[in-house]
C-alpha cells in the first residue's frame, strides 16, 4: 500500500496545491461532502495517526492499530482556504463525542485534525477556541458539550482500499448512506451554499 510521509508534496512547496487531513467518524461520511467544496482538487479516504505499518480496513476497525479513518483533501488555496475547510469539518460531524460518531464507536472514529505545519495548527486551535467560547453573534458556545477534537501532527498516510473510495457516490441508496451520509450532505448544501463547487 502506498504511503506518504509528512512533508512529501505537502503545503506551500506543492505550488497551488495544499493538503488538509481530517478525521471525524467514518470516512464514507466526510469524503462526499468535501468533494462538493469549490477549490477541492481531490479527496482520498485512508488511515493515519496509528503505530502499525500498512494497516488494512479490518485491522483499523479492530481499534488495535491506533489509526483513525480520515480524508486527505488536496485543495487550491486561492479558491478555498484552510479555515473554510475547517468550518465545514466542524459543521458535518460532532466534535464533542470522544471516539465515536453516532453508532460508530472506537478510536478509529475519533475527531482529529492532522496538521502539516504550524500555520494549520494555529488556525485549527483558533477556530476551536472560538467555537468553544461563542457563536458568530457573541452569544453562547456553538456546542452544548466541550470540543474533544485532537489537533496533532501528521506523520504518515495510508490510502484505504479501492472499494472505500467514492463509496457514497457508488452506493447512495445503501442504508447507512441514506440514513447517515445524505443528511450531512444536505446540511452542507444548506449551510455552505457559497462554498459549493461551481459557485
Amino acid at each position: 500500500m502506498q504511503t506518504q510521509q509528512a512533508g512529501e508534496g505537502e503545503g506551500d512547496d506543492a505550488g497551488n496545491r495544499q493538503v488538509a487531513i481530517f478525521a471525524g467518524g467514518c470516512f464514507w461520511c466526510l469524503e462526499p461532502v468535501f468533494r462538493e467544496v469549490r477549490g477541492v482538487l481531490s479527496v482520498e479516504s485512508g488511515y493515519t495517526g496509528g503505530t502499525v505499518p500498512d494497516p488494512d480496513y479490518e485491522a483499523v476497525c479492530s481499534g488495535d492499530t491506533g489509526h483513525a479513518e480520515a480524508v486527505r483533501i488536496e485543495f487550491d488555496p486561492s479558491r478555498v482556504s484552510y479555515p473554510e475547510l475547517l468550518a465545514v469539518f466542524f459543521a458535518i460531524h460532532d466534535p464533542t463525542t470522544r471516539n465515536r460518531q453516532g453508532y460508530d464507536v472506537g478510536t478509529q472514529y475519533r475527531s482529529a485534525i492532522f496538521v502539516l505545519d504550524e500555520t494549520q495548527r494555529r488556525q485549527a486551535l483558533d477556530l476551536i477556541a472560538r467555537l468553544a467560547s461563542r457563536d458568530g453573534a457573541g452569544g453562547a458556545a456553538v456546542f452544548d458539550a466541550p470540543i474533544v477534537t485532537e489537533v496533532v501532527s501528521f506523520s504518515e498516510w495510508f490510502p484505504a482500499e479501492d472499494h472505500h473510495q467514492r463509496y457514497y457516490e457508488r452506493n447512495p441508496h445503501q442504508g447507512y448512506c441514506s440514513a447517515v451520509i445524505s443528511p450531512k450532505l444536505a446540511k452542507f448544501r444548506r449551510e455552505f451554499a457559497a462554498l459549493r463547487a461551481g459557485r
Side-chain angles (χ1 to χ4, degrees), residues 46 155 171:
S155 58
N171 303 277

Side-chain angles (χ1 to χ4, degrees), residues 145-173:
I147 293 172
V148 297
T149 303
E150 301 173 2
V151 178
V152 293
S153 296
F154 167 71
S155 58
E156 194 169 14
W157 178 257
F158 299 92
E161 296 80 353
D162 288 346
H163 61 276
H164 291 298
Q165 309 298 338
R166 296 181 177 268
Y167 187 87
Y168 178 82
E169 182 179 313
R170 293 182 290 103
N171 303 277
H173 304 299

